[in-house]
Amino acid sequence: QAQLVGSGGGSVQAGGSLNLSCAASGIDFSLNALGWYRQAPGSLLEFVAAIQAGGSTSYHDSVKGRFTISRDNAKNTLYLEMNSLQPEDTAFYYCTVYQTSNSRVPAHWGQGIQVTVSS
């Protein structure tokens, strides 16, 4: 019954910005850790950022300082603000809700959101 619906992808030039959103339903949103992952062409799925129920955040080194993860519990929505985008950020982006019993293991996934950054 859990469902995550992502939106906000698109195409931008290097140096530009995009904001991704992920609306959740069927979960106790405020109690779960949330995260973003991405998969670039020819690459494996990789961690991007996570935010705990208490608000603490973590980022992959490649995006730290450029991306910001946030959540709005009142709207059951997860966000990813992406600034200073580079071609290497081109990928499908996926939002996830982590397991309640283990906040390091994804439990549910949203659909892929295409992000394309051109030079």
Side-chain angles (χ1 to χ4, degrees):
Q1 294 184 2
Q3 185 175 40
L4 302 174
V5 180
S7 62
S11 300
V12 298
Q13 293 183 320
S17 300
L18 282 174
N19 296 324
L20 307 184
S21 298
C22 180
S25 61
I27 65 169
D28 293 324
F29 186 87
S30 64
L31 302 180
N32 288 98
L34 307 167
W36 291 96
Y37 289 74
R38 67 186 181 186
Q39 186 169 32
S43 300
L44 298 176
L45 188 71
E46 68 175 357
F47 170 78
V48 175
I51 183 168
Q52 301 301 119
S56 63
T57 60
S58 59
Y59 298 89
H60 189 273
D61 287 344
S62 66
V63 306
K64 190 173 182 64
R66 300 187 298 120
F67 292 9
T68 301
I69 187 171
S70 62
R71 62 192 295 163
D72 187 335
N73 291 343
K75 297 180 179 179
N76 286 355
T77 302
L78 171 71
Y79 303 97
L80 184 68
E81 299 179 21
M82 304 185 293
N83 304 125
S84 301
L85 285 163
Q86 301 299 314
E88 53 265 35
D89 296 315
T90 294
F92 282 96
Y93 284 71
Y94 302 86
C95 60
T96 189
V97 177
Y98 290 95
Q99 292 183 4
T100 300
S101 59
N102 187 340
S103 62
R104 299 179 65 181
V105 179
H108 306 286
W109 296 91
Q111 87 285 1
I113 306 170
Q114 173 69 275
V115 172
T116 301
V117 184
S118 61
S119 60

